[in-house]
Amino acid sequence: MIIDIHGHYTTAPKALEEWRNRQIAGLKDPSQTPKVSELKISDDDLRETIITNQLAKMKERGSDLTIFSPRASFMAHHIGDFQTSSTWAAICNELCARVAGLFPDNFIGAAMLPQSPGVDPKTCIPEIEKCVKDYGFVAINLNPDPSGGHWTSPPLSDRSWYPIYEAMVEYELPAMVHVSTSCNSCFHTTGAHYLNADTTAFMQCLTSDLFKDFPTLKFIIPHGGGAVPYHWGRFRGLAQELKKPLLRDHLLNNIFFDTCVYHQPGIDLLTKVIPVDNILFASEMIGAVRGIDPETGHYYDDTKRYIEATLNLSEEDRFKVYEGNARRVYPRLDRALKAKGL
């Protein structure tokens, strides 16, 4: 089985975006604020967006199951207040749950959280519990910067985040550390803010002792880990200077990297530098980079091609990347698959 741990509902029906635009307009003019009941999306609407997009590409490229969460750039936690984010997260999570219900062999959910700048992270707990208990979700997406590129929140090691970590441990939920839209013109959302955040989150963990308090906590650093694999020597050296343990002991029991790296040399480097037990297959399709690479004639985000072509992985290694590691890092996913006899 090939499990893609990084999928977003980027092709949701147009009605979702239209409803969101009305919600945002309502922040200035409350008379324009829509009711949740005014959003009308049928099962046929959902099927159409999935069958012709994500599902078609999964079949074409040879992946079986996608961990599916709301569109990352649409989370936009910096917009409005907690109530704005709470309503929006609930809508987006429900749509992902409906997709997983319509295509149970191909999709399983991961939750967007109703984060808001300056709001206590523990306010996210009810949405986490609902998504686990009612929807059967297997993970969450955690935004380390709800301000949208201004980094006004404390680092991930700060105790204010602990209620979320406690819920993660209780429900055996890994978190993909994933920012959303940048509203800071200095940082392009997908080309800078995402990769900066991946690197920043890793360094926040390196400089702390977070995993002493939560030894079973699991973070996935997406987009191949940002700059981390490329600068692994720098991070090893910084850990040494800070009198931290070796990185393999300090972080690699808790931090994992996905394969959303869109060229062969990048995957070659990732699989050479990072231990195979810490690499999980992902493509993030249909996502930020949707075009065809003129150097190869294939889609940039067809990451399975790179995994197959790299000389750094044995067949046993590939099994770990494609399936084994995901089952270990996502215990609820493993149990869901076993319940189906898989």
Side-chain angles (χ1 to χ4, degrees):
M1 175 177 284
I2 296 179
I3 301 169
D4 186 336
I5 66 152
H6 192 166
H8 299 299
Y9 198 0
T10 55
T11 61
K14 189 70 174 177
L16 180 66
E17 182 176 1
E18 292 170 351
W19 189 95
R20 173 64 162 173
N21 288 338
R22 290 177 60 199
Q23 185 194 36
I24 294 171
L27 297 173
K28 292 184 178 180
D29 180 2
S31 68
Q32 298 189 49
T33 303
K35 297 178 181 178
V36 173
S37 60
E38 293 175 27
L39 177 61
K40 305 294 185 182
I41 297 176
S42 69
D43 285 353
D44 285 341
D45 293 334
L46 297 180
R47 288 188 186 96
E48 181 180 358
T49 62
I50 293 296
I51 289 172
T52 59
N53 291 295
Q54 281 88 350
L55 190 58
K57 284 184 165 48
M58 288 169 65
K59 292 179 177 178
E60 174 187 319
R61 299 176 187 183
S63 62
D64 300 300
L65 176 69
T66 297
I67 297 178
F68 203 54
S69 62
R71 184 175 178 177
S73 62
F74 265 30
M75 296 191 299
H77 294 120
H78 62 280
I79 293 176
D81 56 14
F82 172 74
Q83 187 57 51
T84 307
S85 287
S86 181
T87 302
W88 180 232
I91 286 173
C92 292
N93 286 333
E94 183 184 24
L95 286 181
C96 288
R98 288 174 61 190
V99 169
L102 292 169
F103 303 94
D105 294 333
N106 304 110
F107 298 94
I108 196 164
M112 163 188 169
L113 302 185
Q115 297 176 246
S116 188
V119 177
D120 192 329
K122 71 181 180 183
T123 55
C124 296
I125 303 303
E127 186 68 19
I128 293 175
E129 293 180 338
K130 180 184 71 177
C131 287
V132 170
K133 297 176 181 179
D134 296 349
Y135 298 156
F137 282 13
V138 300
I140 63 172
N141 290 343
L142 180 65
N143 185 351
D145 174 37
S147 71
H150 294 286
W151 292 91
T152 57
S153 295
L156 292 171
S157 56
D158 188 83
R159 296 190 69 87
S160 62
W161 296 100
Y162 277 28
I164 289 181
Y165 302 157
E166 290 164 359
M168 288 171 59
V169 169
E170 179 181 356
Y171 294 114
E172 297 181 284
L173 299 169
M176 180 169 284
V177 182
H178 204 310
V179 289
S180 185
T181 301
S182 170
C183 59
N184 184 335
S185 61
C186 294
F187 305 116
H188 182 275
T189 293
T190 54
H193 186 42
Y194 281 15
L195 305 183
N196 293 346
D198 302 336
T199 310
T200 298
F202 183 84
M203 192 63 195
Q204 288 178 358
C205 292
L206 187 154
T207 56
S208 75
D209 293 311
L210 174 62
F211 301 124
K212 288 185 178 179
D213 287 345
F214 295 96
T216 63
L217 196 68
K218 293 181 173 64
F219 287 157
I220 294 89
I221 308 293
H223 319 110
V228 174
Y230 189 70
H231 287 287
W232 195 244
R234 174 180 290 260
F235 291 109
R236 287 196 299 113
L238 288 169
Q240 183 174 314
E241 292 297 318
L242 293 167
K243 310 302 181 187
K244 298 294 183 183
L246 296 175
L247 286 187
R248 65 171 179 263
D249 301 317
H250 185 43
L251 299 180
L252 292 187
N253 291 318
N254 307 90
I255 288 182
F256 304 85
F257 303 83
D258 77 11
T259 63
C260 292
V261 179
Y262 296 146
H263 66 151
Q264 190 66 52
I267 290 292
D268 290 342
L269 184 143
L270 176 70
T271 53
K272 184 176 182 179
V273 172
I274 301 300
V276 68
D277 287 343
N278 293 81
I279 301 173
L280 288 79
F281 176 72
S283 67
E284 203 181 3
M285 66 90 183
I286 300 166
V289 183
R290 304 185 182 190
I292 293 176
D293 185 344
E295 295 182 5
T296 66
H298 300 293
Y299 285 95
Y300 286 101
D301 61 2
D302 187 358
T303 53
K304 183 171 177 283
R305 290 182 176 273
Y306 312 136
I307 303 302
E308 291 297 311
T310 188
L311 300 178
N312 297 329
L313 299 176
S314 66
E315 285 308 304
E316 180 182 357
D317 291 337
R318 287 188 178 88
F319 168 77
K320 290 182 177 181
V321 171
Y322 285 143
E323 178 180 353
N325 291 342
R327 284 181 177 266
R328 177 169 50 88
V329 175
Y330 294 77
R332 302 186 74 90
L333 169 64
D334 184 52
R335 290 198 292 272
L337 292 174
K338 287 177 178 174
K340 296 181 178 182
L342 298 173

